[in-house]
Amino acid sequence: MMEQNIKKDVLLSTIGGYFVAALNFVVNLILIRYLSAELYGLFSYIVGQSRRILRFLDFSFVELILISKKRDLKLSELTESYILHSIVRLLIVLIGGWFAAWYTDNLKILSVISFLIVYTNVRYFYIFGIVHFYEAYFNTKTAQIFYTLSAFIFLLFTFLLPYVSETTLYNFAFSFFIASLFIVVVISSHLLQNSGYKNIKFSKKVFNALSSHSLFLQLPILFGVITKFIQETLIIVDQSAEIFAFYSVSLLIGSIAVIGARGAIRPLGPYLWSKDKISLRPYIVIGLFLYAFAITGAYFSGVFENILLLLNNDYQGVSIYLSLGVILAISLAYSQIIQTFIKGFGLIKNLSVVAAFINIISLVLTLLAYYFLNIEFFAINILIIETIVTILNIVILIIIYKLNIRFIDESDKNQNFTETEE
């Protein structure tokens, strides 16, 4: 019965993940249609940097929710702690965004950054947290309903904007802000009503659980934040916001594979942690299938470019970015699957050591590309570098498993958990 349930949950979550990815993809197509490449690049840069900083400040709270029952954490205390943590995290990043925009002395720029930070916090952390609450304490079906509904709300607000207001970056950012508030206040009230939520406070048990499984594992996340900040800022400064838009679109096209993989992982992770013996062979087969799909997708990148040109003629020549972006996205998706397998085997801190090493390698290669290669192709070189280090990460993890290599002794696989970011 358990095998049947996990197959059903994985299928449901994967389908839901791909459907949400499609909705998010349409949202970005609308932005590409109405914004110039420069403004879309600016939008992507603000959201990307905010997302990584929020990821570091999250301290793996979202992931802790999935194993909260193993930690003997009550739904009410976890919910109350999560809401307080979300508010504090948002305030920290909002203050940072305020200082970042201060030098412009432009209220609209400051407002755009603030609106997009709220949107990023809700879209990539609050919603995922609520989905994990439903997954851990209710069922996969309820989790996917909320996940899909939240994505549809963002799409609806984005779709309606051109009919009611001018299509500026400020107005799009404001619509995302309103949609985010709507989701937080209205849609997620169901969970609060069923969780025994009373007031905003932080539980000591939750704090101890976060400390025990997050502090050590923040290192690769920190290196990732630094590396991506340097990479993307150099693209913006030394090339242009238009080139960064090309770079962002390349990741957007392939992100469907990443989101689909995450959908499969959400119910699959707890199932793997409960197994004493896991075979690697099925995961190797999955990898071969994914890379065959990546090569095929890269071959048809010209078709995607033609579609984008129908929406906005600023994207002439984006096909090379799309080709590399698809291969990178498939590599990231497969890397997440292998990471979940390694977590199930109990090598979570070893996974963190490898992730930190990979991020350092990525940073070194980035600086070498910046100083010694043609800066005109810097964004393309970054896509190539990220693909290489992602594949290297996969190979190292497989070798660690097959050769029984241990950098750190981990005797209890259920005592630590985190999820590295792409």
Side-chain angles (χ1 to χ4, degrees):
M1 181 63 68
M2 185 176 182
E3 294 282 352
Q4 293 177 347
N5 288 339
I6 190 59
K7 289 180 180 179
K8 180 180 177 181
D9 287 346
V10 169
L11 179 62
L12 181 62
S13 188
T14 303
I15 292 174
Y18 279 118
F19 186 69
V20 169
L23 294 178
N24 294 335
F25 182 68
V26 174
V27 167
N28 279 274
L29 287 182
I30 294 174
L31 294 175
I32 289 171
R33 168 68 180 85
Y34 290 103
L35 297 178
S36 66
E38 181 180 4
L39 289 179
Y40 180 74
L42 180 61
F43 164 83
S44 300
Y45 181 79
I46 295 173
V47 171
Q49 296 304 325
S50 301
R51 181 179 178 183
R52 294 183 186 95
I53 295 172
L54 287 164
R55 176 71 182 97
F56 178 72
L57 296 175
D58 184 66
F59 270 82
S60 301
F61 204 135
V62 169
E63 290 81 9
L64 174 66
I65 296 170
L66 279 182
I67 58 170
S68 54
K69 290 184 177 179
K70 294 181 180 179
R71 296 279 189 170
D72 195 28
L73 299 174
K74 296 180 180 179
L75 177 58
S76 58
E77 63 185 3
L78 195 65
T79 305
E80 293 165 359
S81 300
Y82 183 68
I83 291 175
L84 179 59
H85 178 267
S86 297
I87 293 173
V88 172
R89 181 185 61 212
L90 178 59
L91 289 176
I92 292 174
V93 181
L94 277 175
I95 293 172
W98 184 80
F99 279 110
W102 178 254
Y103 77 97
T104 65
D105 194 27
N106 187 314
L107 181 59
K108 278 200 170 184
I109 293 295
L110 176 59
S111 300
V112 166
I113 292 176
S114 301
F115 291 151
L116 291 181
I117 286 175
V118 173
Y119 158 72
T120 304
N121 186 59
V122 172
R123 167 68 182 83
Y124 293 103
F125 295 94
Y126 182 80
I127 288 176
F128 275 116
I130 300 300
V131 170
H132 285 194
F133 272 118
Y134 284 131
E135 190 74 55
Y137 289 94
F138 300 98
N139 55 69
T140 298
K141 181 179 180 180
T142 305
Q144 288 305 309
I145 290 175
F146 172 78
Y147 191 32
T148 303
L149 184 59
S150 62
F152 178 77
I153 289 172
F154 282 123
L155 174 59
L156 180 63
F157 274 74
T158 310
F159 178 78
L160 292 177
L161 178 66
Y163 297 97
V164 298
S165 183
E166 186 180 358
T167 54
T168 63
L169 177 58
Y170 174 86
N171 287 340
F172 275 119
F174 182 69
S175 70
F176 288 144
F177 172 73
I178 296 300
S180 300
L181 295 183
F182 182 81
I183 291 171
V184 171
V185 175
V186 179
I187 303 301
S188 58
S189 60
H190 176 269
L191 174 66
L192 300 182
Q193 293 174 356
N194 289 276
S195 66
Y197 170 79
K198 297 178 181 179
N199 51 54
I200 298 176
K201 62 181 181 180
F202 208 92
S203 165
K204 184 177 180 180
K205 286 182 64 178
V206 174
F207 177 79
N208 291 336
L210 282 172
S211 300
S212 65
H213 89 281
S214 295
L215 291 176
F216 174 86
L217 301 170
Q218 287 296 97
L219 188 61
I221 298 176
L222 176 60
F223 281 129
V225 169
I226 294 173
T227 300
K228 296 305 294 183
F229 174 78
I230 292 175
Q231 289 178 342
E232 297 185 355
T233 302
L234 288 177
I235 293 174
I236 287 279
V237 172
D238 286 288
Q239 291 192 277
S240 65
E242 290 89 345
I243 293 298
F244 189 81
F246 282 30
Y247 173 82
S248 300
V249 167
S250 72
L251 300 179
L252 170 67
I253 297 294
S255 65
I256 297 177
V258 177
I259 295 176
R262 287 175 181 166
I265 286 169
R266 190 175 298 114
L268 183 63
Y271 170 76
L272 289 176
W273 304 330
S274 67
K275 307 292 287 186
D276 294 327
K277 188 176 181 180
I278 311 170
S279 173
L280 180 62
R281 183 174 298 177
Y283 296 86
I284 300 297
V285 174
I286 290 173
L288 295 175
F289 171 78
L290 286 176
Y291 277 105
F293 178 79
I295 294 172
T296 303
Y299 179 77
F300 288 101
S301 61
V303 176
F304 292 118
E305 179 180 344
N306 291 334
I307 294 174
L308 290 175
L309 289 176
L310 292 175
L311 299 174
N312 191 325
N313 57 14
D314 287 349
Y315 291 86
Q316 183 71 43
V318 76
S319 61
I320 180 62
Y321 293 87
L322 296 176
S323 297
L324 296 172
V326 169
I327 297 175
L328 173 57
I330 293 297
S331 299
L332 290 171
Y334 186 47
S335 176
Q336 291 189 17
I337 294 174
I338 293 297
Q339 288 172 22
T340 302
F341 174 86
I342 296 298
K343 293 172 189 175
F345 196 65
L347 299 177
I348 298 168
K349 287 187 176 181
N350 285 273
L351 171 65
S352 178
V353 171
V354 174
F357 170 75
I358 290 298
N359 279 316
I360 293 173
I361 293 297
S362 179
L363 177 57
V364 171
L365 292 177
T366 296
L367 295 176
L368 290 175
Y370 179 74
Y371 286 109
F372 296 104
L373 298 180
N374 192 337
I375 195 65
E376 182 181 350
F377 303 106
F378 183 68
I380 293 176
N381 292 334
I382 291 300
L383 290 172
I384 296 173
I385 288 170
E386 289 301 296
T387 302
I388 291 173
V389 296
T390 303
I391 294 174
L392 179 62
N393 179 61
I394 296 170
V395 173
I396 292 176
L397 291 178
I398 292 176
I399 291 175
I400 286 176
Y401 172 76
K402 296 297 292 184
L403 300 182
N404 200 31
I405 298 173
R406 302 292 182 272
F407 303 112
I408 298 175
D409 182 31
E410 299 180 74
S411 56
D412 185 357
K413 70 180 180 181
N414 293 325
Q415 291 303 308
N416 299 285
F417 175 79
T418 193
E419 179 174 301
T420 56
E421 186 171 85
E422 70 277 8

